[in-house]
């Protein structure tokens, strides 16, 4: 999921992150040739700016993230969970995953 430093306009470029955990995990999985059938998926999660606007210096994105922590608040986790369930239902063999 996007880190607030990377989506809040007022954050300077030198404070933004250049790497993602997802790409690092994928690189490690590809390095291990013994696990040929292991698949990894990048679930595209962006923050809906209508629900959680990231304005000015508000790095909480209107309550999506915790203040001075950058982990999601409960409503942020609920939003992410719904996105993950939607992705699983669309892209897997599971039927009506809830």
């Amino acid at each position: 999921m996007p880190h607030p430093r990377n989506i809040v306009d007022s954050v300077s470029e030198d404070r933004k992150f250049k790497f993602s955990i997802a790409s690092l995990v994928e690189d490690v999985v590809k390095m291990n040739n013994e696990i040929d059938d292991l698949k990894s998926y990048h679930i595209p999660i962006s923050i809906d700016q209508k629900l959680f606007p990231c304005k000015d210096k508000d790095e909480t994105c209107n309550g999506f993230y915790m203040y001075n922590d950058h982990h999601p608040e409960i409503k942020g986790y609920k939003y992410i969970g719904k996105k993950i369930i939607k992705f699983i239902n669309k892209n897997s063999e599971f039927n009506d995953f809830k």
Side-chain angles (χ1 to χ4, degrees), residues 70-84:
H70 300 142
H71 288 92
E73 284 281 4
I74 189 68
K75 62 183 178 179
Y77 278 118
K78 286 180 181 180
Y79 177 84
I80 293 166
K82 288 177 185 178
K83 293 283 188 177
I84 292 171

Side-chain angles (χ1 to χ4, degrees), residues 26-34:
E26 191 170 72
D27 289 346
V28 170
V29 169
K30 287 179 181 177
M31 287 175 16
N32 189 348
N33 294 330
E34 296 174 16

Side-chain angles (χ1 to χ4, degrees), residues 47-63:
I47 299 174
D48 185 338
Q49 292 296 299
K50 292 178 184 170
L51 295 174
F52 304 104
C54 299
K55 296 180 180 177
D56 303 319
K57 295 183 179 183
D58 178 17
E59 292 187 28
T60 71
C61 295
N62 197 38

